[in-house]
Amino acid sequence: MHQMIEAETLTKQYGTVTAVDGISLSIVRGELFGLLGPNGSGKTTMIRMLTGQVRPTSGSARVMGLDVVEDPIRVRELVGIIPEQETPPSFLTAEEYLHFVARIRGLDRIDARCDHWFDLLEFQDKRDVLCKDLSRGTRQKLMFAQAFLHEPCLVLIDEPLINLDPIMQRKVKDFLRGYTSKGGTVFLSTHILDIAEEICDRIGIIHNGRLLHAGRVDDLTGSGRHLEPFFLDLVRGDVGA
Amino acid sequence: MLVPDLFLAMMKEEWRIHSTVFWGFWFALFPVMIVVFAFFGSLTLPFFSDAVPYTVAALLAQIFFLLAGAMVGSFGLMGREFMNRRFGQASLIAYVSRSLPISERRIFATFLMKDTIYYILLYVLPFTVGFAAATPFISIDPGYIILAFASLALAFLIGLSAVCFLSTLYAHSVRLLAATLVVLALALFHAGTVVFPPYSFFLDPGLEPLALSLLFILIPAAISVLFVTVDYPDQVKRFKNSLDSLAERLSPLGSEHFIAKDALDLLRSEGGAGKVVFSFLLPVGLIWLCLQILIQFVPGIDPLMIFAVLLGVISSTIYNWLTEFDSFSSYAFLPVEVSGMIDAKLKSYGILSLLPVAVLVFAAAATGGAAAPFIPALAVLISVSAYTLAVTVYLTGLHPNVMLYHAGVFARYVLATSPVLLLIIFASIFDPLYALGSLLLVPAAAFLLSRSRRGWQTWEISGY
Ligand SMILES: Nc1ncnc2c1ncn2[C@@H]1O[C@H](COP(=O)(O)OP(=O)(O)OP(=O)(O)O)[C@@H](O)[C@H]1O
Ligand SMILES: [Mg+2]
């Protein structure tokens, strides 16, 4: 099977804090992988290392065959990323922001691509509004559109649904499922367990920077268990350890 | 009239803004550094007393604090945008007045009071302490210490209240502001020799210059408080897409979408054109005026040359506007390199640099339009602006607004720039043509810029 992400004992230390502690994992094409963990467990740091935004202290990672330390720009050209904090530049309008990203990525058919996303996420009426005046949910839609504009085959998403209303959440979940069924790959981080249980193929549970568990969601639910008690047992058990 | 609790809250707020945005501990060293600079600066006074008599040095200090006051005033006016960009929707107490049961006037008056006391403690007091520590070594009567403190504080406050006054005018109508500026300029021109009241007070302490200084502070401040308007960014602004058309026009330059974005940021941010007036034209105009006063005392100097040096330094702060509303964290997830961002900012800077060049042409025309001193002055402007910009970029990367308040960085900035600038000024006193030598700074600037492109590349932005 085709490896989209391969991490080898990836570690990041911030001073004395070990944000990510020797995580190895691999994700294949078409997978919807969810990285779950409590606040401060290292999810964002993991995504930032995998996309060449932060340099690992040790270990290595390849994304779509590219070394993230050697080739960070190429990695970010290929993948789509939705960062944790949605910060589009404040004095561009939503439409201008998407065009701006499209120009950075050197895309063609910019209008058509943007229109597609304004329609799909239902925010055509906000395209002329300055980003700083957008509501948080709309800003998150914009960041979603931004990440998929170049039709990447791998997307890394940090907390995808937090500010969206239930209708939009449904839509985005369905979109992500459709995207992976057509061969796209998703790496998302979340601490909302229901989302993970509903849409992820496979999950990893991270706590204090260490990967406590990685496995298929089916295997859990198939054996009659639910993600939430499993997660809580695992994380609480780890504190005691 | 003032609200004590509000006043205290604002003082705390100001300190926290500085100490959290501007590197905590290092920020606390900022006043200490002013003490040190003032001390050593004062110690050197006897060595230069032939070229720069004490009275002129005092005048220079007055001008410096007048400008500092004007700068603090303009920062207060632009503070909201700056804060929003850094901390999301965080707002200064002064801007949330609608949620407090207090009138805007009282809040603004308290705000001014806070600026007065805070910055006198942060700038004027340390400066005076440094000067005071040096007086025994340079045989200056200690009586001048109190006088220096009082007159510098007055100079600072005149700058502060003048900017508040002009900005209140601006908030009501741009035409009113323009008309007032023209009237003021004409009045000054007509008056011929101008005596700056705090300076007269320093030279000859008496009731009259003191009263005059206080009037120059209190009247503009009172007007700006009485007619204050706080505009709330209530209505959602809509704009048609102008990024693409701008980018198309700029495409020969490369990185056109970044330049177009910089342009839109500047045009659409609060103040817009006002920013150009308050953080560029106004200080530059003040400097020009002060130079006109100065040449009455120091005959040998060519005002155009000194103006070109100072204009070059002020021009380099255009880079601060360009980076003010941007944080690399909004690009970190895109295929963009820090060096690419720096390149784009430099291009935007190059375009905006036409503004100081235009100002210099204007100034040269005003002094009689002789071409002979203009060419060296233009060379000085270009090289000083390139060099101070390069030092800024080298030391602060994409974050000059934050990093220059880091005492260590600021010290290096001063050390890297001031000797060079003084050398140019002294050389030009001997012969304006020597100033052409400043063009040597251009390759130095190019070297620093290429070093910074590589240096900042590896810097990890922790996303503040
Ligand atoms: N730039 C940084 N400098 C210092 N420490 C950091 C930095 N970024 C993250 N950390 C620390 O690393 C640890 C992991 O942080 P990270 O942001 O990766 O967690 P997270 O799982 O994304 O949390 P959340 O669910 O709250 O988003 C935390 O202890 C955090 O304080
Ligand atoms: Mg996170």
Side-chain angles (χ1 to χ4, degrees), chain B residues 19-145:
Chain B
S19 55
T20 54
V21 178
F22 303 133
W23 305 79
F25 167 73
W26 285 102
F27 180 71
L29 275 188
F30 198 73
V32 177
M33 250 179 45
I34 296 185
V35 172
V36 173
F37 273 118
F39 176 70
F40 286 107
S42 308
L43 282 188
T44 61
L45 281 179
F47 300 102
F48 296 110
S49 60
D50 286 340
V52 187
Y54 286 5
T55 47
V56 175
L59 180 61
L60 287 175
Q62 298 270 332
I63 292 172
F64 179 79
F65 276 95
L66 175 71
L67 289 177
M71 292 295 188
V72 166
S74 2
F75 183 84
L77 302 171
M78 297 193 294
R80 168 164 47 180
E81 276 189 351
F82 183 80
M83 299 300 291
N84 275 349
R85 198 63 206 127
R86 287 267 178 272
F87 301 115
Q89 294 308 307
S91 257
L92 298 176
I93 296 175
Y95 298 120
V96 296
S97 54
R98 207 168 25 170
S99 63
L100 297 174
I102 311 169
S103 79
E104 281 160 13
R105 279 179 198 161
R106 292 179 89 183
I107 289 179
F108 188 60
T110 316
F111 185 77
L112 275 184
M113 208 56 205
K114 179 266 302 173
D115 266 359
T116 303
I117 295 186
Y118 186 84
Y119 286 99
I120 283 179
L121 292 179
L122 197 69
Y123 293 162
V124 185
L125 188 66
F127 186 90
T128 317
V129 169
F131 169 70
T135 45
F137 304 100
I138 53 176
S139 57
I140 284 182
D141 182 349
Y144 277 108
I145 297 171

Side-chain angles (χ1 to χ4, degrees), chain B residues 392-440:
Chain B
T392 311
V393 177
Y394 182 75
L395 290 174
T396 68
L398 287 167
H399 306 278
N401 294 298
V402 180
M403 305 269 294
L404 276 185
Y405 275 84
H406 184 298
V409 175
F410 186 71
R412 277 187 284 162
Y413 175 82
V414 171
L415 285 178
T417 52
S418 52
V420 179
L421 304 182
L422 287 176
L423 193 70
I424 296 177
I425 292 181
F426 283 126
S428 73
I429 291 178
F430 286 109
D431 185 339
L433 282 182
Y434 286 167
L436 285 174
S438 64
L439 286 174
L440 287 175

Side-chain angles (χ1 to χ4, degrees), chain A residues 14 17 19 37-46 84 158-159 191, chain B residues 462:
Chain A
Y14 288 112
V17 179
N39 293 127
S41 54
K43 305 182 292 293
T44 300
T45 309
M46 189 70 192
E84 180 171 43
D158 204 347
E159 299 291 356
H191 39 59
Chain B
S462 46

Side-chain angles (χ1 to χ4, degrees), chain A residues 12 14 48 51 53-56 73 76-77 79 81-83 85 87-93 95-97 99-101 103-105 110-111 125-130 132-133 139 143 146, chain B residues 81 85 89 233 235-245 247-248 256-258 260-261 264-265 268-270 325-326 328-337 457-458 460-463:
Chain A
K12 178 70 192 180
Y14 288 112
R48 294 176 59 155
T51 50
Q53 300 181 61
V54 160
R55 205 187 176 87
I73 296 293
R76 296 205 289 271
E77 268 167 24
V79 307
I81 303 165
I82 304 180
Q85 277 171 333
T87 50
S90 44
F91 294 104
L92 296 185
T93 63
E95 176 178 330
E96 284 168 343
Y97 179 60
H99 283 230
F100 178 67
V101 173
R103 282 172 173 274
I104 289 179
R105 295 190 174 280
I110 294 181
D111 276 313
D125 56 326
K126 297 291 189 303
R127 59 194 298 159
D128 293 339
V129 176
L130 290 188
K132 74 183 179 74
D133 297 334
R139 245 183 273 174
M143 294 314 282
Q146 161 277 129
Chain B
E81 276 189 351
R85 198 63 206 127
Q89 294 308 307
Q235 82 274 49
V236 170
K237 290 191 184 147
R238 286 175 180 272
F239 294 93
K240 280 277 159 244
N241 184 343
S242 17
L243 183 87
D244 289 298
S245 53
E248 236 88 276
E256 63 271 12
H257 36 283
F258 287 109
K261 180 193 160 294
L264 292 177
D265 275 351
R268 290 176 183 171
S269 52
E270 265 167 70
F325 304 118
D326 251 344
F328 190 74
S329 57
S330 24
Y331 303 97
F333 53 91
L334 294 169
V336 174
E337 289 182 275
Q457 195 61 39
T458 52
E460 257 170 33
I461 289 93
S462 46

Side-chain angles (χ1 to χ4, degrees), chain B residues 212-346:
Chain B
L212 211 55
S213 306
L214 289 174
L215 281 183
F216 271 108
I217 296 165
L218 292 175
I219 292 179
I223 294 178
S224 65
V225 168
L226 284 178
F227 295 98
V228 67
T229 55
V230 183
D231 75 308
Y232 302 102
D234 261 351
Q235 82 274 49
V236 170
K237 290 191 184 147
R238 286 175 180 272
F239 294 93
K240 280 277 159 244
N241 184 343
S242 17
L243 183 87
D244 289 298
S245 53
L246 260 176
E248 236 88 276
R249 256 177 277 163
L250 293 164
S251 59
L253 296 173
S255 0
E256 63 271 12
H257 36 283
F258 287 109
I259 306 177
K261 180 193 160 294
D262 283 343
L264 292 177
D265 275 351
L266 275 181
L267 290 172
R268 290 176 183 171
S269 52
E270 265 167 70
K275 191 155 29 206
V276 178
V277 174
F278 286 107
S279 47
F280 186 76
L281 294 180
L282 198 72
V284 164
L286 274 174
I287 288 178
W288 179 248
L289 260 178
C290 297
L291 281 176
Q292 298 308 311
I293 302 172
L294 201 64
I295 45 172
Q296 297 162 8
F297 296 90
V298 197
I301 59 165
D302 182 347
L304 194 63
M305 205 62 74
I306 296 186
F307 184 62
V309 171
L310 297 176
L311 189 60
V313 176
I314 297 208
S315 301
S316 71
T317 63
I318 290 178
Y319 182 69
N320 300 27
W321 315 345
L322 287 174
T323 47
E324 184 173 17
F325 304 118
D326 251 344
S327 147
F328 190 74
S329 57
S330 24
Y331 303 97
F333 53 91
L334 294 169
V336 174
E337 289 182 275
V338 174
S339 60
M341 284 287 294
I342 292 183
D343 288 348
K345 294 288 176 202
L346 294 180

